[in-house]
Amino acid sequence: MASNDISKGGSVSHQNLLILIWTCFSCAFLVVALRAFVRWKFVRTHRPTADDWWTLLALISLTALCVLDTIQLPSLYYITGVLEGTIPISADIIYHTQRHLRFQFPIVILYWTVLWSVKAAFLALYYRLFVDLTFYRRAWYFLAVFTALAYGGCITTLVLSCGPNVANFFGFATCQSPERVWSSNFSVYFSTIIDVFTDVCIMAMPLGLIWNVRVTWSQRIGLFAVFGLALFIIIFAIIRANQVLVDQQFVNLTLLMVWSTLVASISVIVGTLPALKALVTNRKKQHATNKSAESHNRSVRMGSMGSRKEKKSMGTNDSQEDILQQHQQPQPVVAEDPKLEVRIKRDVVSTPSWPLP
């Protein structure tokens, strides 16, 4: 069958799925690039921090994920066509199945790496926030260790999902026994539950601090909204798991790739948003500075107009003699001491009125 007929199978066409993959990646890339610009432009130090490096790792993993998804698509649509009955079963199914599984293994690892890199970026951000808070710092250490162990657990259950021999994961019909099907489902259950649990813990960790911090209600709501965006990741992760955990039927491979791409891309975007707060804060400061400068200029102009009015009034109401007297030498000051005042008068009286020779 022609390749263009194969690409029409599945819930989403080959072209639309390809557009979706790279559109999601482009959005994530642009947001990360904006984050880098904000950090370079508005942050005092230009040295990257730990959360910057974790965000960069998430973006690199997302890039590799999208590339492998693109390479995997022909085999995915071939398998989908066979399952839907649009392509007759032939020996090619073995090749495409093994090829699909060869890419699926690193794709799943990259998927979890993206999500856990975003978690690490949030934890790195919290580490700076909890510098002088003993209770939060201890909770941070516990959560950081637990999150790292959870990532290792996800990788371990994936490796053992088809038995102790990893090569079984890449073979044709080597994971069809009930025990290995249960192991595969357990891997999905475990990774999804531990992913959602760590997201909830990371999202809830700073809520008490945000509630007690002295900020305006609009700023508090903004902080709650930023750290509450993890809810979108949780919802999409549950939907993705629902596409995998199907009973007595084949997995919808196209929808699985759709939700995996959405979850990974949105995770990178959500992990980038806290750093963009500097952009909003700088815009508010700039607006306040411009408003203050405008108010100062207005007051200066009003003062200048008042001075001109005063000069104009002085020129019209005062006589010419009064104006000239203001530019003459100051009159001698009369001393407050009575004796000095008498002496000055005596000197004035004894002074001759004609010029001396």
Side-chain angles (χ1 to χ4, degrees):
M1 181 175 288
S3 59
N4 57 350
D5 295 332
I6 296 175
S7 63
K8 294 179 181 179
S11 302
V12 183
S13 66
H14 183 282
Q15 181 178 2
N16 291 337
L17 184 54
L18 197 61
I19 293 174
L20 175 66
I21 291 172
W22 290 106
T23 300
C24 292
F25 170 79
S26 300
C27 293
F29 178 82
L30 290 177
V31 175
V32 174
L34 179 61
R35 170 198 174 100
F37 172 77
V38 169
R39 301 281 295 188
W40 176 81
K41 184 71 175 179
F42 301 115
V43 180
R44 295 180 179 179
T45 177
H46 292 169
R47 297 180 58 185
T49 57
D51 54 315
D52 295 328
W53 291 115
W54 283 114
T55 303
L56 179 61
L57 177 60
L59 181 63
I60 294 174
S61 301
L62 179 64
T63 305
L65 175 66
C66 293
V67 170
L68 293 183
D69 282 341
T70 303
I71 299 174
Q72 188 195 44
L73 282 181
S75 296
L76 182 147
Y77 276 95
Y78 185 91
I79 297 173
T80 301
V82 171
L83 296 177
E84 293 179 349
T86 58
I87 299 177
I89 298 178
S90 64
D92 292 337
I93 187 63
I94 299 176
Y95 165 77
H96 285 286
T97 301
Q98 292 177 344
R99 185 175 183 271
H100 178 270
L101 294 174
R102 191 182 307 118
F103 288 107
Q104 187 65 22
F105 189 82
I107 283 175
V108 175
I109 293 179
L110 288 171
Y111 172 80
W112 295 124
T113 303
V114 172
L115 269 58
W116 257 257
S117 297
V118 174
K119 299 177 197 291
F122 272 105
L123 289 174
L125 175 63
Y126 294 168
Y127 187 82
R128 300 201 307 269
L129 296 178
F130 302 151
V131 173
D132 299 324
L133 304 174
T134 304
F135 172 78
Y136 284 97
R137 181 57 68 88
R138 291 176 180 175
W140 183 92
Y141 280 114
F142 177 79
L143 184 57
V145 173
F146 181 81
T147 304
L149 294 176
Y151 176 76
C154 291
I155 302 301
T156 302
T157 55
L158 175 65
V159 172
L160 300 177
S161 59
C162 285
N165 188 2
V166 184
N168 293 332
F169 192 94
F170 308 100
F172 179 77
T174 55
C175 292
Q176 300 298 322
S177 63
E179 295 80 7
R180 292 178 180 177
V181 171
W182 182 89
S183 299
S184 299
N185 290 338
F186 174 79
S187 176
V188 176
Y189 277 118
F190 174 83
S191 57
T192 303
I193 292 174
I194 207 70
D195 175 39
V196 172
F197 180 75
T198 51
D199 281 343
V200 171
C201 293
I202 292 174
M203 179 182 64
M205 193 174 187
L207 294 184
L209 183 63
I210 295 174
W211 182 260
N212 295 324
V213 72
R214 294 182 180 180
V215 294
T216 62
W217 272 105
S218 60
Q219 293 174 332
R220 183 175 285 115
I221 292 173
L223 290 173
F224 277 118
V226 169
F227 291 104
L229 288 174
L231 288 174
F232 289 97
I233 304 176
I234 294 173
I235 294 173
F236 284 5
I238 294 175
I239 296 175
R240 175 188 177 273
N242 187 52
Q243 296 296 325
V244 179
L245 297 173
V246 291
D247 188 20
Q248 301 299 327
Q249 58 180 338
F250 293 103
V251 177
N252 192 323
L253 297 176
T254 54
L255 289 181
L256 175 61
M257 183 173 289
V258 167
W259 288 111
S260 298
T261 304
L262 287 174
V263 173
S265 302
I266 292 175
S267 298
V268 175
I269 294 174
V270 171
T272 304
L273 290 180
L276 299 183
K277 180 180 178 294
L279 179 62
V280 179
T281 304
N282 184 77
R283 289 177 63 90
K284 289 183 178 180
K285 289 182 179 179
Q286 186 65 29
H287 177 72
T289 303
N290 295 337
K291 188 175 181 180
S292 176
E294 183 180 355
S295 176
H296 175 72
N297 294 335
R298 187 183 299 111
S299 62
V300 170
R301 289 195 300 269
M302 292 179 64
S304 177
M305 291 174 61
S307 300
R308 288 196 296 269
K309 288 181 180 179
E310 182 179 355
K311 290 181 180 180
K312 183 177 180 181
S313 174
M314 181 176 63
T316 55
N317 297 331
D318 295 345
S319 63
Q320 295 294 330
E321 294 179 358
D322 294 335
I323 298 174
L324 290 175
Q325 287 177 357
Q326 295 178 3
H327 296 281
Q328 291 177 354
Q329 296 293 332
Q331 300 297 326
V333 179
V334 179
E336 295 181 359
D337 188 359
K339 296 181 180 181
L340 181 60
E341 183 177 359
V342 172
R343 187 166 60 253
I344 293 174
K345 289 182 179 180
R346 186 182 302 112
D347 293 340
V348 171
V349 172
S350 61
T351 301
S353 58
W354 59 86
L356 296 176

